[in-house]
Amino acid sequence: MEKKPPFVRREFPPREASSISLALLLAAVLLLNAFLYLYLNKFYVTSGRAETDPGLCPFGYFKFGTVKNCSPWLSCEAINREVRKLKCVGEGAVKKVFLSEWKENKVVLSQLTNSELKEDFLHGLKMLRALQSKYVVRLLGYCEQQFTILTEYHPLGSLRGLNETLHIPKYKGMNTWHRRLKLAMDYVSVIRYLHSSPLGTFVMCDSNDLDKVLSQYLLTSDFHILVNDLDALPLVNRSAGRLVKCGHRELQGEFVAPEQRWPYGEEVPFEDDLMPPYDEKTDIWKIPDVTNFFLGHVEGSDIVRLHLFDIHAACKKRDPSERPSAQEVLDTYRKVLTLLIREAALPGTREML
């Protein structure tokens, strides 16, 4: 009987073992990239940030909360009959805002307070109607004769209370660099939408300081951002040579763009007729300051700022034509988010490769 040769355990030479380890590492990196692609694609598509939103009703209709079917915007008669005011929750130069109730749903009722500003109020209503989308607070009804607007209620309120909200125990898990960066991306997405809306290029004029900017946006319960106040939204029409001016008073401070400041020095008194108009790139100038607020001072936020340094420096170019578009800023933010999530998942990848 022939003897079987003794079993010999094969040893991989060092180079072959190293090649296998590298191949496994590269495979892991490829799988991670695929996961990141699917994750970010899901984030932009299913979370309400996609270019199309299947949850939206046809123009002139709405649904929200316990309302499952699309209903037509409420008329003057319906608002007077079915909406009940609960309490005043805010008041600005143009309107007073009431927390209200409609069919067991919390809603917001806004009413004109200064008749001299009715044109601003009606312009805001016109914009709210025309720009209904996932970027804009949901319109539920209006009454032009009574200068009344009904919109969806968001209990977390405006972005001015963001830091306080993130310190509430329920939301502390949201207080991370990546969640804060996503909020900044939502903000830039709104700016991009206003700059490339179906009606043309609009400039967000109620933005002379950070607090004023934050007051124009709402934080939703699922931590997204909606623009809420469109009273000061002039249209840029380059083909017709039409630029804009944000109001008729002198604007000052580093927050507003250089082209929004009086260009003729202190020796020449401000005169609105002599003030040159400008375009939507004033919104781009303000993005770094608003994003800096969003990022806050959580762990990792300084690393995000470092990665955004170049695009933010471009936003602060004194020549408006040299600043990037909102789309370019958003693209950069997306790349940075992808890069940092990848590095967080495989912190030693760069050194190993």
Side-chain angles (χ1 to χ4, degrees):
M1 182 181 292
E2 293 184 7
K3 292 185 179 180
K4 293 182 179 180
F7 174 76
V8 179
R9 184 176 180 178
R10 183 182 178 187
E11 298 286 344
F12 290 107
R15 179 175 295 179
E16 186 176 350
S18 176
S19 299
I20 292 175
S21 298
L22 183 58
L24 290 173
L25 176 62
L26 289 173
V29 171
L30 291 173
L31 285 172
L32 176 63
N33 284 337
F35 168 77
L36 286 173
Y37 174 81
L38 292 173
Y39 167 77
L40 291 173
N41 186 61
K42 180 180 179 182
F43 171 72
Y44 287 110
V45 174
T46 64
S47 66
R49 300 292 101 182
E51 288 305 318
T52 58
D53 187 349
L56 289 177
C57 293
F59 182 78
Y61 291 77
F62 71 92
K63 66 176 178 179
F64 79 108
T66 60
V67 181
K68 295 183 178 181
N69 298 319
C70 292
S71 302
W73 287 337
L74 301 186
S75 63
C76 297
E77 180 184 358
I79 291 175
N80 292 333
R81 184 180 66 250
E82 301 173 12
V83 176
R84 181 170 64 95
K85 289 182 185 177
L86 299 178
K87 63 177 179 178
C88 179
V89 293
E91 183 173 2
V94 178
K95 52 186 175 285
K96 185 178 289 188
V97 180
F98 298 89
L99 174 62
S100 304
E101 191 174 54
W102 175 73
K103 293 187 176 180
E104 300 182 351
N105 291 286
K106 295 289 194 305
V107 293
V108 173
L109 189 71
S110 302
Q111 292 183 317
L112 178 69
T113 55
N114 186 346
S115 59
E116 294 180 359
L117 298 175
K118 63 182 181 181
E119 293 303 322
D120 292 339
F121 183 92
L122 292 175
H123 178 73
L125 171 58
K126 177 183 176 181
M127 293 295 97
L128 193 57
R129 278 199 315 251
L131 297 176
Q132 279 294 289
S133 67
K134 58 193 168 294
Y135 304 108
V136 180
V137 68
R138 186 171 285 126
L139 179 64
L140 308 180
Y142 61 90
C143 180
E144 288 192 52
Q145 298 93 316
Q146 299 173 7
F147 297 99
T148 298
I149 301 173
L150 192 70
T151 54
E152 187 176 6
Y153 171 64
H154 293 279
L156 296 183
S158 80
L159 289 177
R160 285 190 294 191
L162 174 64
N163 288 323
E164 290 76 10
T165 297
L166 289 172
H167 283 93
I168 297 173
K170 178 181 178 181
Y171 298 110
K172 278 190 175 181
M174 298 286 194
N175 197 16
T176 61
W177 68 262
H178 46 88
R179 176 58 66 175
R180 284 175 170 270
L181 178 55
K182 287 176 183 177
L183 288 176
M185 292 164 67
D186 273 2
Y187 167 72
V188 177
S189 294
V190 173
I191 297 299
R192 180 198 60 174
Y193 174 67
L194 295 178
H195 288 184
S196 56
S197 83
L199 301 181
T201 299
F202 291 99
V203 180
M204 194 66 178
C205 268
D206 262 344
S207 57
N208 298 336
D209 57 63
L210 179 61
D211 190 66
K212 188 64 175 175
V213 170
L214 299 176
S215 71
Q216 308 302 304
Y217 296 84
L218 295 172
L219 180 64
T220 67
S221 296
D222 59 349
F223 269 70
H224 285 297
I225 290 174
L226 299 172
V227 64
N228 181 52
D229 195 330
L230 301 175
D231 294 348
L233 202 69
L235 178 68
V236 171
N237 188 338
R238 284 191 180 81
S239 60
R242 185 192 307 156
L243 300 179
V244 305
K245 288 192 285 188
C246 291
H248 304 287
R249 298 179 182 179
E250 182 177 2
L251 302 179
Q252 297 177 328
E254 291 298 315
F255 188 83
V256 297
E259 63 271 23
Q260 292 184 281
R261 303 173 210 152
W262 179 243
Y264 303 118
E266 295 181 0
E267 61 276 6
V268 181
F270 177 81
E271 190 174 336
D272 184 44
D273 291 340
L274 298 178
M275 179 66 198
Y278 33 84
D279 62 17
E280 77 280 3
K281 290 299 184 74
T282 58
D283 290 332
I284 305 299
W285 171 274
K286 298 160 189 173
I287 286 176
D289 299 290
V290 180
T291 292
N292 186 57
F293 166 81
F294 282 128
L295 292 177
H297 302 286
V298 298
E299 181 180 356
S301 61
D302 286 341
I303 298 297
V304 179
R305 287 185 178 91
L306 183 63
H307 282 274
L308 297 179
F309 180 84
D310 289 341
I311 191 67
H312 283 174
C315 291
K316 290 294 188 179
K317 295 279 189 181
R318 294 195 69 83
D319 183 348
S321 66
E322 295 181 2
R323 296 174 203 154
S325 66
Q327 181 65 64
E328 290 170 322
V329 176
L330 182 60
D331 289 342
T332 301
Y333 280 22
R334 287 174 174 169
K335 290 176 183 176
V336 168
L337 177 63
T338 303
L339 172 66
L340 292 178
I341 290 178
R342 180 189 300 138
E343 290 186 350
L346 287 177
T349 301
R350 184 178 299 172
E351 291 76 7
M352 295 174 70
L353 293 176

